[in-house]
């Protein structure tokens, strides 16, 4: 268990969440102690706060570094960060206006106030803030203050693939990890980053397990989440992540952009010049066929190069057939993208602005998809005969 010690009465020891992990890295778990401050004003996103757990609800575990989870009990003290959250399948939350009781809105260590929740969610785990975290000199500690330094680099940016999706749980992280795995097996030094979302250890850990030589996310750069961040700060995260991975000698970069294309920060980010110049191609993870078609068309309307479909969609051959009937790009399972040859071809396709046909599973002469790498079967459904718009009558 990662923990830190406070110089409060009794030298209280607290569990450290994923978002606050830099405290341990900087010695507060061993040689340095922390203090507490009860500020007069409202907390801000990124402020670190010591909380006592008062009621266990939806989140029963505290996410820690390297994917570890620590069981929570009433009475535990935990160090988390204030932040807003956007999660259609879980909670929408905002930063509270005071230091009063609030909610643990994400297991990675985000304190907020829930304003809406999915019907499947239990009530959030309740926490009582004890004070904002300070260093040994009494100065407030924030994620921005603890952010990893990004060293400017003169080297050219490596080829970069962004994984976007239709929504939360459309398969983005699985697809990103599959690409990382395939590129690593192809002998590439892959840098990976999650540039938007909510601070949590699961996605970066999976990327590292898949073979990424270095993984970074927005929490490393000083932000607990990216929901409600001004766009200049989101752009700063994108630039910082790419610069960091380039400086660590990556020769390929895989980026994950959280949530769906309609989420406000994602929608704004993909329209920025920085995204267009920093990303060579997109693999789009979709949950179903109609969202796949709509998402690809939206990205194409923005002039962005979509290279392939993947995600939950590819669990169903019929849904995949419906999707590729409406968009002229191949669809691959995550297992297929783990193939070194296919992953390398997708990366090369990013540079050329198209997916390489042939072994990579592109279109064959008769318009069917090759099956070697997990694309559509060679036998074509009647949907692939149809070139018009998808309607209820078309897919019945």
């Amino acid at each position: 268990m990662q923990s830190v010690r406070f110089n409060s009465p009794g030298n209280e020891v607290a569990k450290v969440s994923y978002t606050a992990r830099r405290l341990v890295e900087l010695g507060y778990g061993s040689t340095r102690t922390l203090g507490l401050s009860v500020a007069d004003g409202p907390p801000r996103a990124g402020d670190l706060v010591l909380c006592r757990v008062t009621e266990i609800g939806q989140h029963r575990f505290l996410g820690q570094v390297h994917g570890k989870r620590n069981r929570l009990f009433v009475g535990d003290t935990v160090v988390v960060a204030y932040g807003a959250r956007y999660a259609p399948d879980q909670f929408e939350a905002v930063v509270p206006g005071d230091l009063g009781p609030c909610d643990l809105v994400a297991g990675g260590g985000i304190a907020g106030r829930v304003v809406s929740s999915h019907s499947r969610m239990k009530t959030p785990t309740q926490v009582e803030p004890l004070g904002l975290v300070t260093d040994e000199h009494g100065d407030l500690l924030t994620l921005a203050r603890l952010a990893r330094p990004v060293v400017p680099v003169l080297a050219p940016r490596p080829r970069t693939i962004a994984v976007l999706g239709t929504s939360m749980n459309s398969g983005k992280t699985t697809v990103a990890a599959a690409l990382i795995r395939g590129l690593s097996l192809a002998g590439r030094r892959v840098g990976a980053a999650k540039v938007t979302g909510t601070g949590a250890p699961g996605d970066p850990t999976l990327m590292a397990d898949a073979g990424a030589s270095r993984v970074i996310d927005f929490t490393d750069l000083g932000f607990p989440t990216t929901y409600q961040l001004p766009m200049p700060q989101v752009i700063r995260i994108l630039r910082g992540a790419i610069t960091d991975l380039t400086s660590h000698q990556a020769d390929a970069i895989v980026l994950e952009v959280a949530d769906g294309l309609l989420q406000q920060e994602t929608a704004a980010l993909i329209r920025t010049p920085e995204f267009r110049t920093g990303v060579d191609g997109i693999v789009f993870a979709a949950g179903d066929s109609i969202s796949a078609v709509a998402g690809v068309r939206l990205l194409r309307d923005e002039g962005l190069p979509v290279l392939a479909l993947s995600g939950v969609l590819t669990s169903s051959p019929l849904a995949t057939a419906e999707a590729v009937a409406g968009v002229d790009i191949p669809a691959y399972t995550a297992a297929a993208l783990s193939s070194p040859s296919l992953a390398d071809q997708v990366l090369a396709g990013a540079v050329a602005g198209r997916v390489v046909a042939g072994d990579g599973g592109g279109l064959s002469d008769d318009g069917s998809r090759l099956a070697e790498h997990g694309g559509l079967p060679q036998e074509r459904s009647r949907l692939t005969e149809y070139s018009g718009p998808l309607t209820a009558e078309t897919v019945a």
Side-chain angles (χ1 to χ4, degrees):
M1 178 186 79
Q2 285 202 318
S3 62
V4 290
R5 186 175 297 277
F6 284 79
N7 59 13
S8 56
N11 288 327
E12 190 160 27
V13 175
K15 297 176 179 178
V16 178
S17 66
Y18 172 78
T19 56
R21 65 194 182 280
R22 284 281 286 163
L23 292 176
V24 176
E25 295 172 9
L26 295 174
Y28 287 104
S30 53
T31 60
R32 306 168 73 179
T33 57
L34 297 164
L36 289 177
S37 171
V38 180
D40 293 331
R44 298 174 299 176
D47 285 349
L48 293 179
V49 57
L50 177 68
C51 294
R52 178 169 287 116
V53 177
T54 57
E55 183 179 337
I56 303 297
Q58 176 63 33
H59 291 100
R60 298 180 296 120
F61 295 88
L62 186 70
Q64 298 190 309
V65 71
H66 305 314
K68 294 179 180 178
R69 299 196 309 165
N70 192 283
R71 184 67 178 261
L72 289 173
F73 297 90
V74 171
D76 278 350
T77 51
V78 297
V79 180
V80 296
Y82 279 111
R85 188 177 189 195
Y86 178 97
D89 289 358
Q90 286 202 18
F91 296 124
E92 177 193 9
V94 297
V95 177
D98 55 49
L99 288 177
C102 60
D103 309 313
L104 183 66
V105 301
I110 303 296
R113 193 154 289 155
V114 170
V115 296
S116 71
S117 62
H118 194 283
S119 61
R120 291 197 303 266
M121 290 296 101
K122 298 177 182 178
T123 57
T125 291
Q126 304 292 303
V127 294
E128 176 191 5
L130 302 177
L132 298 180
V133 178
T134 70
D135 63 15
E136 54 267 65
H137 307 295
D139 296 323
L140 288 179
L141 287 173
T142 66
L143 289 192
R145 184 176 165 193
L146 300 179
R148 297 182 187 280
V150 176
V151 180
V153 61
L154 297 177
R157 173 181 60 77
R159 299 173 182 178
T160 300
I161 301 290
V163 178
L164 285 82
T166 55
S167 63
M168 185 179 181
N169 294 326
S170 60
K172 297 181 296 297
T173 305
T174 302
V175 170
L179 272 172
I180 292 165
R181 180 66 175 165
L183 292 170
S184 298
L185 291 174
R188 293 191 176 273
R189 184 177 173 87
V190 186
K194 186 167 182 178
V195 294
T196 65
T198 300
D203 294 355
T205 299
L206 181 59
M207 291 174 172
D209 290 347
S213 63
R214 181 169 175 82
V215 181
I216 193 169
D217 72 5
F218 46 88
T219 63
D220 291 303
L221 300 174
F223 301 91
T225 76
T226 54
Y227 183 39
Q228 298 183 343
L229 272 188
M231 191 45 47
Q233 292 184 325
V234 180
I235 291 171
R236 187 175 127 204
I237 293 169
L238 176 70
R239 285 175 169 170
I242 292 174
T243 299
D244 178 271
L245 298 174
T246 302
S247 70
H248 283 81
Q249 301 180 323
D251 60 16
I253 291 176
V254 176
L255 305 176
E256 180 187 349
V257 181
D259 302 306
L261 297 183
L262 300 183
Q263 198 273 349
Q264 61 188 32
E265 284 79 31
T266 298
L269 179 62
I270 64 174
R271 291 175 170 88
T272 62
E274 290 81 4
F275 185 85
R276 295 171 187 274
T277 57
V279 170
D280 298 302
I282 293 168
V283 176
F284 190 61
D288 55 42
S289 56
I290 190 64
S291 61
V293 172
V296 170
R297 290 179 179 175
L298 187 155
L299 291 168
R300 284 175 169 171
D301 286 346
E302 295 298 327
L304 295 169
V306 189
L307 306 175
L309 285 171
S310 190
V312 174
L313 166 82
T314 60
S315 299
S316 168
L318 285 177
T320 307
E322 289 177 350
V324 298
V327 291
D328 185 21
I329 55 174
Y332 303 116
T333 65
L337 292 170
S338 299
S339 158
S341 60
L342 179 58
D344 231 8
Q345 287 183 48
V346 170
L347 188 68
V351 176
R354 61 182 179 83
V355 173
V356 179
D359 290 344
L363 281 170
S364 64
D365 291 339
D366 68 351
S368 64
R369 306 287 172 179
L370 300 179
E372 295 96 305
H373 293 295
L376 283 174
Q378 290 184 356
E379 180 181 355
R380 300 160 71 192
S381 75
R382 68 184 180 88
L383 282 172
T384 62
E385 306 278 359
Y386 183 78
S387 59
L390 293 180
T391 65
E393 292 75 20
T394 308
V395 300

